[in-house]
Coordinates of all heavy atoms in Angstrom, one line a residue:
D18 N 49.4 206.9 -86.2 CA 49.0 206.3 -87.5 C 48.1 205.2 -87.3 O 47.1 205.1 -88.1 CB 50.3 205.8 -88.2 CG 51.2 206.9 -88.7 OD1 50.8 208.1 -88.8 OD2 52.4 206.6 -89.0
E19 N 48.3 204.4 -86.3 CA 47.4 203.2 -86.1 C 46.1 203.6 -85.6 O 45.0 203.1 -86.0 CB 48.1 202.2 -85.1 CG 47.2 201.0 -84.8 CD 47.1 200.1 -86.0 OE1 47.8 200.3 -87.0 OE2 46.2 199.2 -85.9
I20 N 46.0 204.6 -84.7 CA 44.7 205.2 -84.1 C 44.0 205.8 -85.4 O 42.8 205.5 -85.5 CB 44.9 206.2 -83.1 CG1 45.5 205.6 -81.8 CG2 43.6 207.0 -82.8 CD1 46.0 206.6 -80.8
S21 N 44.6 206.6 -86.2 CA 44.0 207.2 -87.3 C 43.4 206.1 -88.3 O 42.3 206.2 -88.8 CB 45.0 208.1 -88.1 OG 44.4 208.6 -89.2
R22 N 44.2 205.0 -88.6 CA 43.8 204.0 -89.4 C 42.5 203.3 -88.9 O 41.5 203.1 -89.7 CB 44.9 203.0 -89.6 CG 44.6 201.9 -90.6 CD 45.6 200.8 -90.6 NE 45.6 200.0 -89.4 CZ 44.6 199.1 -89.0 NH1 43.6 198.9 -89.8 NH2 44.7 198.4 -87.9
R23 N 42.5 203.0 -87.6 CA 41.4 202.3 -87.1 C 40.1 203.2 -87.0 O 39.0 202.7 -87.3 CB 41.7 201.8 -85.6 CG 42.7 200.7 -85.7 CD 42.9 200.2 -84.2 NE 44.0 199.3 -84.2 CZ 44.2 198.4 -83.2 NH1 43.4 198.4 -82.2 NH2 45.3 197.7 -83.2
V24 N 40.3 204.5 -86.6 CA 39.1 205.4 -86.6 C 38.6 205.5 -88.0 O 37.3 205.5 -88.2 CB 39.5 206.7 -86.0 CG1 38.5 207.8 -86.2 CG2 39.8 206.6 -84.5
T25 N 39.4 205.7 -89.0 CA 39.0 205.9 -90.4 C 38.3 204.7 -90.9 O 37.2 204.8 -91.5 CB 40.2 206.2 -91.3 OG1 40.8 207.4 -90.8 CG2 39.8 206.3 -92.7
E26 N 38.8 203.5 -90.6 CA 38.2 202.3 -91.0 C 36.8 202.1 -90.4 O 35.8 201.7 -91.1 CB 39.1 201.1 -90.7 CG 38.6 199.8 -91.3 CD 38.7 199.8 -92.8 OE1 39.6 200.4 -93.4 OE2 37.7 199.3 -93.4
A27 N 36.7 202.4 -89.1 CA 35.4 202.2 -88.4 C 34.3 203.2 -89.0 O 33.2 202.8 -89.3 CB 35.5 202.5 -86.9
I28 N 34.7 204.4 -89.2 CA 33.7 205.3 -89.7 C 33.4 205.0 -91.2 O 32.2 205.1 -91.5 CB 34.3 206.8 -89.6 CG1 34.3 207.2 -88.2 CG2 33.4 207.8 -90.4 CD1 35.1 208.6 -87.9
S29 N 34.3 204.6 -91.9 CA 34.1 204.2 -93.3 C 33.1 203.0 -93.4 O 32.2 203.1 -94.2 CB 35.4 203.9 -94.0 OG 35.2 203.4 -95.3
E30 N 33.3 202.1 -92.5 CA 32.4 200.9 -92.5 C 31.0 201.2 -92.1 O 30.0 200.9 -92.8 CB 33.0 199.8 -91.6 CG 32.2 198.6 -91.6 CD 32.8 197.5 -90.7 OE1 34.1 197.4 -90.6 OE2 32.0 196.8 -90.0
V31 N 30.9 201.9 -91.0 CA 29.5 202.2 -90.4 C 28.8 203.3 -91.3 O 27.6 203.1 -91.5 CB 29.7 202.7 -89.0 CG1 28.4 203.2 -88.4 CG2 30.2 201.6 -88.1
A32 N 29.5 204.3 -91.7 CA 28.8 205.3 -92.5 C 28.7 205.1 -94.0 O 28.2 205.8 -94.7 CB 29.5 206.7 -92.2
E33 N 29.4 204.0 -94.4 CA 29.4 203.6 -95.8 C 30.0 204.8 -96.6 O 29.4 205.2 -97.6 CB 28.1 203.1 -96.3 CG 27.6 201.9 -95.6 CD 26.2 201.4 -96.0 OE1 25.6 202.1 -96.9 OE2 25.7 200.4 -95.5
L34 N 31.1 205.2 -96.2 CA 31.8 206.3 -96.9 C 33.2 205.8 -97.3 O 33.8 205.0 -96.7 CB 32.0 207.5 -96.0 CG 30.7 208.3 -95.6 CD1 31.0 209.3 -94.4 CD2 30.2 209.0 -96.8
P35 N 33.7 206.4 -98.4 CA 35.1 206.1 -98.8 C 36.1 206.7 -97.8 O 35.8 207.7 -97.1 CB 35.3 206.8 -100.2 CG 34.3 207.8 -100.2 CD 33.1 207.4 -99.3
R36 N 37.1 206.0 -97.6 CA 38.2 206.4 -96.6 C 38.7 207.8 -96.9 O 39.0 208.5 -96.0 CB 39.3 205.4 -96.6 CG 38.9 204.0 -96.1 CD 40.0 203.0 -96.1 NE 41.0 203.6 -95.2 CZ 42.2 203.2 -95.0 NH1 42.7 202.2 -95.8 NH2 43.1 203.8 -94.2
E37 N 38.7 208.1 -98.2 CA 39.3 209.4 -98.5 C 38.4 210.6 -98.1 O 38.8 211.7 -98.1 CB 39.4 209.5 -100.1 CG 40.4 208.5 -100.6 CD 39.9 207.1 -100.7 OE1 38.7 206.8 -100.7 OE2 40.8 206.1 -100.7
A38 N 37.2 210.3 -97.7 CA 36.2 211.4 -97.3 C 36.3 211.6 -95.8 O 35.7 212.6 -95.2 CB 34.8 210.9 -97.6
I39 N 37.2 210.9 -95.0 CA 37.3 211.0 -93.6 C 38.6 211.7 -93.2 O 39.7 211.2 -93.6 CB 37.2 209.6 -92.9 CG1 35.9 209.0 -93.4 CG2 37.3 209.7 -91.4 CD1 35.8 207.5 -93.2
W40 N 38.5 212.7 -92.4 CA 39.7 213.5 -91.9 C 39.9 213.2 -90.5 O 38.9 213.2 -89.7 CB 39.5 215.0 -92.1 CG 39.4 215.4 -93.5 CD1 39.0 214.7 -94.6 CD2 39.7 216.8 -93.9 NE1 39.0 215.5 -95.7 CE2 39.4 216.8 -95.3 CE3 40.1 217.9 -93.3 CZ2 39.6 217.9 -96.1 CZ3 40.3 219.0 -94.1 CH2 40.1 219.0 -95.5
V41 N 41.1 213.0 -90.1 CA 41.5 212.8 -88.7 C 42.6 213.7 -88.3 O 43.6 213.8 -89.0 CB 41.9 211.3 -88.4 CG1 42.4 211.1 -87.0 CG2 40.8 210.3 -88.8
V42 N 42.4 214.5 -87.3 CA 43.4 215.5 -86.9 C 43.7 215.2 -85.4 O 42.8 215.0 -84.5 CB 42.9 216.9 -87.0 CG1 43.9 217.9 -86.4 CG2 42.6 217.2 -88.5
F43 N 45.0 215.2 -85.1 CA 45.4 215.1 -83.7 C 45.9 216.4 -83.1 O 46.6 217.2 -83.8 CB 46.7 214.1 -83.6 CG 46.3 212.7 -83.8 CD1 46.4 212.1 -85.1 CD2 45.9 211.9 -82.7 CE1 46.0 210.8 -85.3 CE2 45.6 210.6 -82.9 CZ 45.6 210.0 -84.2
E44 N 45.5 216.7 -81.8 CA 46.0 217.8 -81.1 C 46.7 217.3 -79.9 O 46.1 216.6 -79.0 CB 44.8 218.7 -80.6 CG 44.1 219.5 -81.7 CD 43.0 220.3 -81.2 OE1 43.4 221.2 -80.4 OE2 41.8 220.1 -81.5
D45 N 48.0 217.5 -79.9 CA 48.8 217.1 -78.7 C 48.7 218.1 -77.6 O 48.8 219.4 -77.8 CB 50.3 217.0 -79.1 CG 50.5 215.9 -80.1 OD1 50.0 214.8 -79.9 OD2 51.3 216.1 -81.1
V46 N 48.4 217.6 -76.4 CA 48.1 218.5 -75.2 C 49.2 218.1 -74.1 O 49.4 216.9 -73.9 CB 46.7 218.3 -74.6 CG1 46.5 219.1 -73.4 CG2 45.7 218.5 -75.7
A47 N 49.9 219.1 -73.6 CA 50.8 218.9 -72.6 C 50.2 218.3 -71.3 O 49.0 218.8 -71.0 CB 51.5 220.2 -72.2
A48 N 50.8 217.4 -70.6 CA 50.2 216.8 -69.4 C 49.9 217.9 -68.4 O 49.0 217.7 -67.7 CB 51.2 215.8 -68.9
S49 N 50.7 218.9 -68.4 CA 50.4 220.0 -67.4 C 49.1 220.8 -67.7 O 48.7 221.5 -66.9 CB 51.6 221.0 -67.3 OG 51.8 221.6 -68.6
D50 N 48.6 220.7 -68.9 CA 47.4 221.3 -69.3 C 46.2 220.4 -69.4 O 45.1 220.8 -69.7 CB 47.6 222.0 -70.8 CG 48.6 223.1 -70.7 OD1 48.8 223.7 -69.7 OD2 49.2 223.3 -71.8
W51 N 46.3 219.2 -69.0 CA 45.3 218.2 -69.0 C 45.0 217.7 -67.6 O 45.8 217.2 -66.9 CB 45.7 217.0 -69.9 CG 44.7 216.0 -70.2 CD1 43.8 215.4 -69.4 CD2 44.3 215.6 -71.6 NE1 43.0 214.6 -70.1 CE2 43.3 214.6 -71.5 CE3 44.9 215.8 -72.8 CZ2 42.8 214.0 -72.6 CZ3 44.4 215.2 -73.9 CH2 43.3 214.3 -73.8
F52 N 43.7 217.9 -67.2 CA 43.3 217.6 -65.8 C 42.2 216.7 -65.8 O 41.3 216.7 -66.6 CB 42.9 218.9 -65.1 CG 44.0 219.9 -64.9 CD1 44.5 220.7 -65.9 CD2 44.6 220.0 -63.7 CE1 45.5 221.6 -65.8 CE2 45.7 220.9 -63.4 CZ 46.1 221.7 -64.5
V53 N 42.3 215.8 -64.8 CA 41.2 214.8 -64.5 C 40.9 215.0 -63.0 O 41.8 214.8 -62.2 CB 41.6 213.4 -64.9 CG1 40.5 212.4 -64.5 CG2 41.8 213.3 -66.4
G54 N 39.7 215.3 -62.7 CA 39.3 215.4 -61.3 C 40.1 216.5 -60.6 O 40.3 216.4 -59.4
G55 N 40.5 217.5 -61.3 CA 41.2 218.6 -60.7 C 42.7 218.4 -60.6 O 43.4 219.3 -60.0
T56 N 43.2 217.3 -61.1 CA 44.6 217.0 -61.0 C 45.3 216.8 -62.3 O 44.7 216.1 -63.2 CB 44.9 215.7 -60.1 OG1 44.2 215.9 -58.9 CG2 46.3 215.4 -59.9
A57 N 46.4 217.4 -62.6 CA 47.1 217.2 -63.8 C 47.5 215.7 -64.0 O 47.9 215.1 -63.1 CB 48.4 218.1 -63.9
V58 N 47.3 215.2 -65.2 CA 47.7 213.9 -65.5 C 49.2 213.7 -65.7 O 49.9 214.7 -65.9 CB 46.9 213.3 -66.7 CG1 45.4 213.4 -66.5 CG2 47.2 214.0 -67.9
G59 N 49.6 212.5 -65.7 CA 51.1 212.2 -65.9 C 51.4 212.0 -67.4 O 50.6 212.3 -68.3
K60 N 52.5 211.5 -67.6 CA 53.0 211.2 -69.0 C 52.3 210.0 -69.6 O 51.7 209.2 -68.8 CB 54.5 210.9 -68.9 CG 55.4 212.1 -68.5 CD 56.8 211.7 -68.4 CE 57.6 212.9 -68.0 NZ 59.1 212.6 -67.9
P61 N 52.2 209.9 -70.9 CA 51.6 208.8 -71.5 C 52.3 207.5 -71.2 O 53.5 207.5 -70.9 CB 51.7 209.1 -73.0 CG 52.7 210.1 -73.2 CD 52.8 210.8 -71.9
K62 N 51.5 206.4 -71.2 CA 52.1 205.1 -70.9 C 53.2 204.8 -72.0 O 53.2 205.3 -73.1 CB 51.0 204.0 -70.9 CG 50.1 204.2 -69.8 CD 49.0 203.2 -69.7 CE 48.1 203.5 -68.5 NZ 46.9 202.7 -68.5
S63 N 54.1 203.9 -71.6 CA 55.2 203.5 -72.5 C 54.6 203.1 -73.9 O 53.5 202.5 -74.0 CB 56.0 202.4 -71.9 OG 55.3 201.2 -71.8

Side-chain angles (χ1 to χ4, degrees):
D18 290 346
E19 183 65 14
I20 292 169
S21 175
R22 185 189 67 74
R23 291 185 191 196
V24 167
T25 299
E26 192 61 40
I28 292 172
S29 175
E30 182 181 325
V31 172
E33 298 179 359
L34 291 169
R36 296 180 60 192
E37 296 77 22
I39 301 159
W40 294 27
V41 178
V42 173
F43 286 92
E44 288 185 60
D45 292 317
V46 179
S49 61
D50 292 334
W51 192 305
F52 292 79
V53 175
T56 303
V58 299
K60 296 180 181 178
K62 294 180 180 170
S63 63

